[in-house]
Amino acid sequence: MSLIKLSKAIFTKPLGYGRKPVRIFKNPIDFSILRKEKWAIVGDSYKTKFLRVLSGSYLSTSPLSRAYPDSLNNSNFTVELLKFVTNGNWGYGAQNQSGGFTHLSGRYEFFKDLEIDINVKDFIASKHENSNIPYDPVKLEYLAECLDLTGLEDKFLTTLSNGQFRRARVAKVLYRDPTLLLIDDPFLGLDPVASQRVSNVLKKIACDVKNPTTVTIGLRIQDVIPDWIEKIAIVDSTGVVHQGGKSELRSELQRLKETFYRHHEEVKKRVSEQIQLDGRQILKKTWEQDPMIKMESVSVKYKGVPVIKDLCWTVREGEKWHVRGRNGSGKTTLLSLITLDHPQSWSRKIMVEGHTREAGSVNYFDANKSIGFTSPELHAIFPRDLSVFQAISTGYIVGSYIPPKHLSNLQIDNILNYLTMVELVDKKDIKFGDLSVSNQKLVLLLRSMINDPSILILDEALSAMTDEDVIKGKCLVDQWNKGCCLIIGHVDEEVPHCNKYIVMNQARNGIYEIGNVTK
Ligand SMILES: Nc1ncnc2c1ncn2[C@@H]1O[C@H](COP(=O)(O)OP(=O)(O)OP(=O)(O)O)[C@@H](O)[C@H]1O
């Protein structure tokens, strides 16, 4: 019997009183998932919509066209959908808003509010959600081990790194033992080792002989399909365009990939031409030889455990650094020393643009005037009700999410030009929250660049974006030549061209490595 069955199903999204609901997919859908099947739903943003259809998030025009037949024989039948990114607030946080991202500096605050700052094991076991799920220490220990969370169980959720937090969310959803588990972009923001671990765990529960969970994952066209996936559905705006066994669809997938890469070349050419037209990005500069950032023997420890050890690092104008390292290796910690979000930023061992960061010699706002910044944490807390234009304009004021009252003509033109370069100018009056996640991130990238910063810090700036938007973002950063750029990104395709790298390594007690990017 199928777990879920769609028969000529049409789904709509209500738009509010007096407005006609919109169709999610143009064509009616026929699709079913049988118990123990292992599906990958492949496509762009429509794969996410399709997973939402499966989880029951949209209305079907005929109630019987979407059925969960197995639920009739199984009183414990549950469907769980895990998405790491949504376009509402707290998209990166837990579905129910317990835990999740706060402002980066909140991570380092001494004061913890026990109502909000829950520890990892209680989060996984849903202890704070008035749920009736029993507390099972053995299961907790097992999941922590499988997902490399051992040792982190008693930490506050807000102190986890992005990748650790995402793994904790996977553990949370597995703890609930759903009958049908739907995960969109399961490997988003994970380093290669962590991705393999998550894949292994999903394989294990999907192939469990006694009590298998039926697992369906959402993947992008260019993603590698895990070996344990058996069936594939390719979706686009019309609905399911192909479905069948993995080997059956191999050549179709290959064809899609080729079209996709061809399309990319076209987008790249178009956006590069637009940037050239604007002209400002490509002004040739002669670089200052004085360091922009200099750290001399900087160390950071959490509860006695070193994350950064005796770091000596010099960043000069014109350099683009890829800040590398596994999840939890100290990359965000390093960048938060520069943005003054970390308590140990106030140190004479750190010099930025010729000024030491000694307490009393600099303040947060002056120091951040020349820094442009975007990160998953910023995206999670950024106000959704600003227009796209207003959202970018907040980049003119340090640490503010309130648009400036007065903008000069030059500032207005700058915003419009940037929007034109990435082909978003038509959306300038749309609410930030109504954009796709990918467009939101592109807008935050423009916001980070708008005030001509001399230090541009991009923490996973191009992750969770459509490939077209990744290309636009990369074109912008590749041609940006104002000062220095520090970039975190786990997936090579999402990292603009860099000429230097630094590898952070908490596992080796904070011992780091520095080098030149050769390719
Ligand atoms: N305030 C804190 N208290 C205790 N531990 C912390 C705190 N902030 C960060 N950590 C720990 O320091 C380590 C480094 O975290 P950081 O966020 O710098 O890693 P990262 O390299 O950016 O990881 P990711 O790729 O997952 O984003 C992690 O193990 C994290 O749990």
Side-chain angles (χ1 to χ4, degrees), residues 107 155 159 161-164 302 327-333 490:
R107 210 196 244 201
K155 285 187 94 162
T159 66
S161 78
N162 292 335
Q164 291 168 339
Y302 297 118
N327 294 130
S329 60
K331 302 179 296 296
T332 303
T333 303
H490 291 288

Side-chain angles (χ1 to χ4, degrees), residues 299-311:
S299 299
V300 176
K301 285 184 185 170
Y302 297 118
K303 297 212 170 128
V305 181
V307 173
I308 298 178
K309 183 144 191 277
D310 293 332
L311 173 67

Side-chain angles (χ1 to χ4, degrees), residues 398-414:
V398 176
S400 170
Y401 305 137
I402 301 172
K405 281 211 176 89
H406 301 290
L407 288 173
S408 67
N409 288 341
L410 185 69
Q411 287 175 322
I412 294 172
D413 283 351
N414 265 347

Side-chain angles (χ1 to χ4, degrees), residues 363-381:
N363 69 58
Y364 180 89
F365 293 95
D366 286 342
N368 275 288
K369 263 184 196 149
S370 54
I371 298 179
F373 179 74
T374 179
S375 72
E377 286 86 354
L378 174 75
H379 182 213
I381 59 171

Side-chain angles (χ1 to χ4, degrees), residues 445-457:
L445 176 65
L446 300 187
R447 177 184 181 272
S448 72
M449 301 173 112
I450 198 68
N451 206 17
D452 285 341
S454 41
I455 301 173
L456 184 61
I457 299 184

